[in-house]
Amino acid sequence: AARGNLRDSDTTASGRSVDFETALTLPVVQRAFNLMSGDIGPLPIDTFRRVDGRRIPMDAPPWVELPDPANPNKRRPQFVSQCVVSLMDDGNLFVRAYPDRYRPTVLRVIEPKKVRIETNSDGVDTYIVGSAPLTAAEVVHVPWLVAAGKSRGFSPITLLQESIASGLAAMEFGGYFFANGTTMTGVIEAPNGATIDAEKLKTDFSRGNSGLSKSHSVGVLIGATFKQTQSTVADSQMTEFL
């Protein structure tokens, strides 16, 4: 089934499938969502009436702070959050206005995937929610980006899915790289025929060169050679994660 403009079976070049929930795990996407929803949503709103080119302050209608009186816990910040999620996920915002958009008393965000748009030969849109046809007077439709001759907007998650998937893949690779560092740091090679106590040599070398206080210290091995086997952070090109 189609989700916005992205089918659930679609995958990207990195092999990662992307939807809104997975996209939110990428910090840059989460910051963008928080900016639009968490920071902008609760900002105060003033209402005015324009008379002869002048703005006359007026009391805000009740739906500004309480869009749905039947759900008093869902005030304006929650309403704005639902609007932002709809736009970021599907690229379309559908708001059911009761009794209509011109004299609203109740506003409810409709889940975008439940809305089908039918456009007649005159270019007039009808919004089918379930089996109920609704007019543009009953549904406020805000698309994100719209192609010429179309009514439904593109999903930004879909448009940016390759970039988001690459970021998710890089973040996942970084997690595995640091979590699975079981490769030996190096090995100590002794000359052929040399008689050594391997455990003592390993213990002495680790004691003298391990730990924060011994960072960049000089190691001395008499008759033996240390060879590094573990890749460094620079070698792994993971420096951008630090």
Side-chain angles (χ1 to χ4, degrees):
R3 233 201 79 266
N5 306 108
L6 175 67
R7 289 179 173 82
D8 294 332
S9 59
D10 285 354
T11 55
T12 59
S14 65
R16 292 296 304 265
S17 60
V18 177
D19 58 21
F20 181 69
E21 291 183 6
T22 57
L24 270 184
T25 63
L26 195 64
V28 66
V29 175
Q30 192 172 112
R31 285 196 294 269
F33 172 77
N34 287 338
L35 173 64
M36 291 186 288
S37 176
D39 295 343
I40 297 177
L43 291 177
I45 292 179
D46 293 324
T47 54
F48 301 87
R49 186 189 304 274
R50 188 174 294 277
V51 179
D52 297 330
R54 295 179 297 114
R55 295 196 306 177
I56 308 299
M58 59 176 290
D59 293 334
W63 55 263
V64 170
E65 293 299 331
L66 188 59
D68 187 354
N71 293 287
N73 291 327
K74 294 182 179 179
R75 305 188 71 84
R76 179 161 54 89
Q78 289 74 31
F79 178 80
V80 172
S81 178
Q82 289 182 332
C83 294
V84 171
V85 169
S86 294
L87 282 171
M88 291 186 66
D89 182 20
D90 188 82
N92 295 272
L93 167 64
F94 301 98
V95 177
R96 177 70 167 94
Y98 298 88
D100 56 52
R101 67 191 304 166
Y102 305 108
R103 45 196 176 96
T105 57
V106 176
L107 297 176
R108 291 175 182 164
V109 178
I110 308 172
E111 190 175 352
K113 69 179 182 180
K114 294 182 177 179
V115 180
R116 188 175 81 256
I117 304 176
E118 293 184 354
T119 306
N120 65 18
S121 57
D122 295 326
V124 177
D125 292 333
T126 299
Y127 302 91
I128 312 299
V129 183
S131 58
L134 300 171
T135 67
E138 298 169 296
V139 175
V140 179
H141 177 208
V142 181
W144 186 281
L145 292 172
V146 187
K150 303 294 183 181
S151 296
R152 200 173 190 102
F154 292 107
S155 163
I157 297 296
T158 300
L159 296 178
L160 298 172
Q161 61 179 313
E162 286 291 348
S163 298
I164 294 172
S166 296
L168 291 171
M171 188 170 63
E172 184 176 0
F173 174 81
Y176 281 126
F177 179 84
F178 290 112
N180 297 326
T182 56
T183 305
M184 291 184 296
T185 302
V187 295
I188 299 174
E189 292 186 351
N192 289 333
T195 302
I196 62 171
D197 185 336
E199 283 299 322
K200 184 176 185 304
L201 180 60
K202 184 175 82 169
T203 301
D204 290 345
F205 186 80
S206 297
R207 184 185 299 119
N209 296 279
S210 299
L212 182 62
S213 63
K214 300 181 182 66
S215 298
H216 309 293
S217 63
V218 178
V220 178
L221 289 171
I222 300 175
T225 303
F226 176 78
K227 290 188 176 180
Q228 179 176 304
T229 59
Q230 189 178 51
S231 59
T232 66
V233 174
D235 293 335
S236 67
Q237 299 181 356
M238 297 296 294
T239 52
E240 285 80 3
F241 285 88
L242 301 180

